[in-house]
Each structure stands twice: as C-alpha cells, then as structure tokens.
Amino acid sequence: GLRFSTAQLKQETGISDLAFREGAELGLFGPQPHSSHEVEIAFALVVLEAFGIQPRHLRGLKSATEREIGIITGVTEPILRKRAPDSTAKAAHVSREIAERFGAIRSHLISEVIDKIES
C-alpha cells in the first residue's frame, strides 16, 4: 500500500534514469505516485541490467504478457456479463487460476533450457 515518488523509487532501487525511462515507455511504470509493485519491477530491472539486459529487451515479454491478459479477459468477460452476485469473485478466481497455470508452463519451459545448460 505504500506509494513512492519517482525520485524515491529511483533512490530506493538504484535504477538508472535511462532504465526508468525505458521501463516507463514499456508501460512498466505509471505516473506518480508509484506502487510497491513498481518498486519490485525497478529492483528486477536493476538486477537484469547487471546481466546486460535492458528494459528494451523485454518488449517480447511484455507482448507475450499482453496476449496472456487477452486470453484471461476472453475467459472472464462472459462470467462478468452474468452480473450474478458472485461474478466478480468468480472472475477474479478464474483469472488467478489461469495466470498460475500460465506461470507454471512458462517456468517449466525455462527450466528445461536451464537443465540443458547444466548437463
């Protein structure tokens, strides 16, 4: 629930002006005040930058995420249209469940590559 100014976010995380600007262009950071989620994103960008990965390299990741959101929205819109008392809660539950499954598949695919590197 904490909120941060851009200056506070940069000071707290050590994110560079360039990385912050590129992240904002990708839609990773909204207008001030910034949420604690945006602080986590900034920390992640700082760590990725240490590996030579810049926010601009994440365009494909963002596009894939937007496709996942489109799928989730397609599944949950009919639930929300019913306007039943529990529609919102059911749609939120279904959204979280689908997101978890997408995450599990993504994690598995990445783990397979890491396993190949290790062997």
Side-chain angles (χ1 to χ4, degrees):
L2 294 175
R3 307 301 277 174
F4 302 84
S5 69
T6 299
Q8 288 172 318
L9 181 140
K10 288 178 180 179
Q11 182 180 3
E12 183 75 24
T13 64
I15 191 169
S16 68
D17 290 337
L18 177 61
F20 179 83
R21 189 170 49 254
E22 287 182 354
E25 288 170 4
L26 273 174
L28 301 177
F29 303 111
Q32 296 183 75
H34 301 289
S35 69
S36 57
H37 294 290
E38 290 173 289
V39 171
E40 289 178 38
I41 289 168
F43 274 126
L45 292 177
V46 169
V47 172
L48 290 172
E49 193 169 35
F51 294 108
I53 300 168
Q54 303 297 319
R56 66 180 178 275
H57 298 131
L58 304 177
R59 283 191 175 93
L61 179 64
K62 184 163 190 298
S63 294
T65 302
E66 288 170 347
R67 286 191 299 275
E68 290 178 12
I69 291 168
I71 292 169
I72 292 169
T73 301
V75 171
T76 57
E77 279 180 349
I79 297 168
L80 292 170
R81 269 190 249 126
K82 291 181 181 177
R83 299 182 191 238
D86 66 338
S87 291
T88 303
K90 184 174 182 180
H93 173 76
V94 168
S95 296
R96 284 188 190 92
E97 183 69 24
I98 294 170
E100 269 187 44
R101 298 303 142 221
F102 284 161
I105 293 167
R106 189 180 322 102
S107 179
H108 172 72
L109 294 171
I110 292 169
S111 291
E112 282 186 329
V113 173
I114 293 170
D115 290 346
K116 287 178 185 175
I117 292 169
E118 289 179 330
S119 58

